[in-house]
Amino acid sequence: PPPVQGPAAFPSPPAEAASERATPAPSPQDSIILHNQSFTFVDGVPQYRIGPGDLLEILLARGVTQDRLTTTVRADGRIPVLFVDVAIGGLTPEQAAREIERALGAYYRAPRVEVVVKDFNSKKVTVFGAVSAIAGRGSGIYPLRGRTSLTEFLASVGGVGQEADLEHVRVTREDGRAVTVNLFAVIAEGELSRDVVMDAGDVVFIPARPPGAERKVVVFGEVAKPGTVPYRTDMSLAEVIAEAGGITELAAADETRI
């Protein structure tokens, strides 16, 4: 699919799929994550969705007896708890605890359960390209631990390299949908609406700038040194003109155009 201009957003999936999977989001800025597998909103707060491979710690109290169980979610989204199998795939830890209580309620009076995710193994993102290798990190496959934006994810894997082309970061979804994200606008210019929320199976590619490439402003007309001026974040028009040597005596300064 061609790059998307303006605020980063993935093309909408077919209407039939949307009707089956859509989860209401609390604000317009979350509209691109209606089908996110890594988390769901509970009372307006994003919560991690448990999946196959996640390692769980279950604190179980029934009367005066207390147990601490450790189990891995099976491929079918179920886990063994004592002598029952409980389906908790896609649920939040809090929802999973209530589901376990319901399943055990047929055998125990008022069981109390707490579920904690010890290892996040079910939702992963792949990143490669101009990624900074810090403390042995860098390009590779990393787990998602809930609602994570692209900038948060890249920061967690060590950031990007100095040669990274932040204006053309490519994110490809598991279903093949793709978007080009201008991370320079997100980071340097504060356009947070372009910061894509990551989903399970995403592939992030950080391209490198061509050798010698730099951000420039072109200045021509009645200035002392027409040509290109290196661009800096928050650079004003006056600073650009000053970098070009200032205006000449023939300049009509009040007719300057950008």
Side-chain angles (χ1 to χ4, degrees):
V4 176
Q5 301 300 322
F10 288 94
S12 298
E16 180 180 355
S19 64
E20 295 175 354
R21 302 170 53 198
T23 301
S27 66
Q29 67 184 15
D30 294 307
S31 61
I32 64 172
I33 50 162
L34 295 178
H35 311 283
N36 202 301
Q37 302 175 57
S38 64
F39 71 95
T40 186
F41 283 101
V42 178
D43 297 328
V45 178
Q47 301 287 333
Y48 180 77
R49 298 177 67 179
I50 296 169
D54 285 335
L55 180 65
L56 307 180
E57 182 177 79
I58 302 172
L59 306 179
L60 171 60
R62 52 195 195 282
V64 296
T65 303
Q66 294 187 348
D67 292 300
R68 185 184 298 267
L69 312 174
T70 301
T71 186
T72 300
V73 183
R74 299 196 304 252
D76 61 359
R78 305 178 72 89
I79 58 171
V81 182
L82 299 181
F83 46 80
V84 298
D85 258 16
V86 186
I88 50 89
L91 303 181
T92 69
E94 177 68 22
Q95 292 169 340
R98 302 293 79 77
E99 185 64 18
I100 295 171
E101 289 176 349
R102 186 195 65 77
L104 294 177
Y107 308 96
Y108 300 102
R109 178 179 297 177
R112 301 183 305 281
V113 176
E114 180 181 349
V115 175
V116 178
V117 182
K118 301 295 289 183
D119 283 324
F120 298 82
N121 299 315
S122 65
K123 315 319 192 280
K124 299 184 188 305
V125 171
T126 302
V127 59
F128 62 101
V131 184
S132 179
I134 298 178
R137 301 175 76 83
S139 296
I141 301 174
Y142 296 90
L144 289 176
R145 293 174 170 81
R147 188 185 191 281
T148 308
S149 69
L150 177 57
T151 53
E152 291 169 338
F153 172 74
L154 291 177
S156 72
V157 302
V160 299
Q162 294 183 353
E163 75 281 11
D165 179 1
L166 293 180
E167 294 181 303
H168 300 93
V169 177
R170 191 73 168 171
V171 179
T172 303
R173 287 271 132 106
E174 197 171 34
D175 61 6
R177 293 179 294 153
V179 65
T180 298
V181 183
N182 185 343
L183 268 190
F184 179 85
V186 174
I187 298 171
E189 301 172 6
E191 296 190 18
L192 300 182
S193 62
R194 300 190 182 201
D195 199 0
V196 170
V197 175
M198 308 308 298
D199 198 0
D202 281 354
V203 176
V204 180
F205 174 61
I206 313 292
R209 293 191 306 270
E214 61 177 323
R215 298 171 60 84
K216 302 176 180 178
V217 176
V218 180
V219 186
F220 58 95
E222 292 300 327
V223 291
K225 296 183 295 184
T228 59
V229 172
Y231 172 78
R232 302 188 304 273
T233 303
D234 298 328
M235 198 174 196
S236 68
L237 174 59
E239 290 173 328
V240 171
I241 294 175
E243 291 281 351
I247 61 176
T248 69
E249 295 180 354
L250 300 177
D254 58 347
E255 296 183 13
T256 301
R257 297 289 182 270
I258 300 177

